Amino acid sequence: MKAFIRTFGCQMNEYDSERIAYYLKNEGYSLSESLDEAEVIIFNTCAVRQKAKNRLYGHIGSLKRLKQKDPGRIICVGGCTAQNLKDTIQKDFPFVDIVFGTYNISEIGQLISKKKRVKQAICSIKEQGFDYRLEQSERPLPFKAYLPIISGCNNFCSYCIVPFVRGRERSLSADDIINEACRLSRKGVLDITLLGQNVNSYGNDLGSDIDFSSLLERVSRIGIERVRFMTSHPKDFSQRLVRVIRDNDNVVNHIHLPLQSGSDKVLEKMNRKYTLRHYLSVVDAIKSNICNCSITTDIIVGFPGEEEEDFEKTLDAVKKIRFSRAFTFIYSPREGTAAAEMEELVSPKLKKDWFGKLVSLQNRITYEENKKMEGKQLKALVECKSPKDDSLLQGRLYDNTIVLFASPEAVIGKMVDVKVKKAKAFYLIGELVGIH
Ligand code: 5AD
Ligand code: SF4
């Protein structure tokens, strides 16, 4: 029996898909890359941006044809949009068999069995609950793993739907996390990402002394080759965390630190609870303590009330900080959030114009930063053949930059040394010089 899973959105969603894959495998399904041959089709959805939702609707719509061809096929929609728009999905797409929420993943096997017995569509959405069982996930690459440490968010940034679809922060117990990290290490995992919407809030709800920096230190001591984490909130990024990254070689020198805007006025309206000055002080602490630390970010343009001078402040901040990469977004209102009620909307034309300017500035910086890598010898974890050119292999540097190089496939899953020969706009070309 074959199942097809398509994931939209963030790393947390990717992890949820790994959990879905685990439960499907327990039911006797194997994963397929082909929609056509799959008996169970699962879309694990994201609600963060309107564009993603629109695209999702197109994708779900296109499944109708498959369902008509073979009505025995089971079509499931899960994740954040399912959580948020269960009624609309059921109404607009009556051929969808199962709608399930972000807290119902461990039930997916039972839901499919039930659907085989009953005629009507099933909707299973828990508003609360926490069904994480850490060891129950199926990793696409055996040597890389996500490890969730906290789920949900209490921050309520005014544009963001996450607190509404993922609920309040809940930290997993430190002992469970450490046990799981040890198990993954024994299984040969070389690269582990501690995941959470705001990892820096880890432990606040546990009523114990443990905070994120001490958890990170404990995980790093297990000795996994690379330990990374995301996402960090600038308001909660502590000096102690900077020291833990500096003092533990296997905690990678890469921090994803969403700036969102370079204007204090906009940051305040976004309810981000920091100023640009504070953000720059965190960047300064990182850069002055951690050698060659790569910083990546998220930025939104066109937030309600944003004016030319605010946007200029974002450009100035980007020029000053020189992010290795930035994920850039055009603001889109999400129903139910505070920003969706705000006035002074930025015109679509201006939003597009600003977006274009920001992207071209950041692309230039990314290329210039990549250029600085030329001639350096760096460690890479080899993941797969390059999807761009299958005569080359694809590896990842400490900060997830892609490096392509020629080598026999036997090094996939290993750490290698590569000498960077040439920088491209978004990746590097290298030469294999050693295998660990
Ligand atoms: N509009 C545009 N971008 C958004 N993001 C979150 N919500 C919105 C929205 N309503 C972006 C933020 C966040 C990233 C994951 O998505 O930059 O950090
Ligand atoms: Fe959304 Fe803000 Fe929470 Fe990030 S910190 S998930 S942007 S509410």
Side-chain angles (χ1 to χ4, degrees), residues 76-253:
C76 317
V77 178
C80 297
T81 303
Q83 187 86 25
N84 200 25
L85 295 174
K86 54 179 190 297
D87 298 330
T88 325
I89 292 175
Q90 286 183 301
K91 193 166 120 293
D92 293 350
F93 305 105
F95 56 87
V96 169
D97 297 292
I98 299 173
V99 177
F100 64 102
T102 51
Y103 305 121
N104 301 75
I105 289 176
S106 56
E107 291 169 13
I108 187 69
Q110 288 117 279
L111 296 174
I112 292 172
S113 311
K114 182 171 167 200
K115 176 61 213 170
K116 287 181 179 165
R117 295 193 306 272
V118 302
K119 236 176 143 319
Q120 69 272 31
I122 299 174
C123 176
S124 187
I125 308 258
K126 276 190 210 143
E127 296 300 332
Q128 294 285 331
F130 198 43
D131 66 340
Y132 280 29
R133 299 191 190 67
L134 285 181
E135 72 293 352
Q136 300 185 346
S137 72
E138 186 72 19
R139 299 185 301 282
L141 296 176
F143 43 87
K144 274 183 94 163
Y146 290 127
L147 176 46
I149 61 165
I150 178 167
S151 157
C153 187
N154 292 359
N155 285 314
F156 288 92
C157 300
S158 62
Y159 51 80
C160 185
I161 194 114
V162 167
F164 301 94
V165 288
R166 295 263 180 189
R168 294 299 79 70
E169 287 167 359
R170 272 146 326 201
S171 304
L172 283 92
S173 101
D175 288 344
D176 288 352
I177 294 167
I178 300 297
N179 286 340
E180 178 62 1
C182 289
R183 190 186 71 90
L184 292 168
S185 171
R186 286 195 300 274
K187 291 256 171 200
V189 165
L190 296 174
D191 185 311
I192 193 170
T193 306
L194 305 182
L195 273 188
Q197 262 81 31
N198 176 12
V199 290
N200 309 94
S201 304
Y202 177 78
N204 289 352
D205 55 322
L206 290 178
S208 64
D209 287 345
I210 190 148
D211 66 357
F212 179 60
S213 16
S214 39
L215 179 77
L216 182 63
E217 194 156 43
R218 279 181 69 186
V219 173
S220 101
R221 290 204 178 126
I222 294 166
I224 295 170
E225 176 77 26
R226 281 177 172 171
V227 180
R228 45 179 95 247
F229 57 90
M230 73 187 315
T231 292
S232 291
H233 197 303
K235 78 175 163 58
D236 300 321
F237 205 95
S238 67
Q239 291 288 337
R240 168 131 198 266
L241 181 52
V242 173
R243 287 198 296 276
V244 169
I245 302 167
R246 181 194 64 193
D247 297 342
N248 293 277
D249 284 346
N250 60 344
V251 177
V252 295
N253 293 354

Side-chain angles (χ1 to χ4, degrees), residues 4 32 34-39 41 65-66 69-70 73:
F4 173 95
S32 161
S34 143
L35 257 177
D36 277 309
E37 67 172 29
E39 289 149 61
I41 296 171
R65 180 187 55 83
L66 285 176
K69 220 165 79 185
D70 176 4
R73 237 179 210 138

Side-chain angles (χ1 to χ4, degrees), residues 51 297-302 306 311 314-316 318-319 322-331 350-368 425-426:
K51 202 166 129 199
T297 201
D298 294 343
I299 297 174
I300 299 176
V301 297
E306 183 171 353
F311 175 66
T314 299
L315 290 182
D316 288 345
V318 167
K319 283 182 203 150
R322 296 186 66 80
F323 298 107
S324 313
R325 285 182 299 278
F327 300 89
T328 42
F329 307 102
I330 291 181
Y331 169 72
L350 196 53
K351 281 202 241 186
K352 241 179 113 186
D353 184 35
W354 287 348
F355 184 72
K357 282 189 182 144
L358 177 62
V359 168
S360 62
L361 170 64
Q362 181 56 46
N363 286 353
R364 177 168 63 76
I365 294 172
T366 299
Y367 179 61
E368 286 168 3
F426 302 110

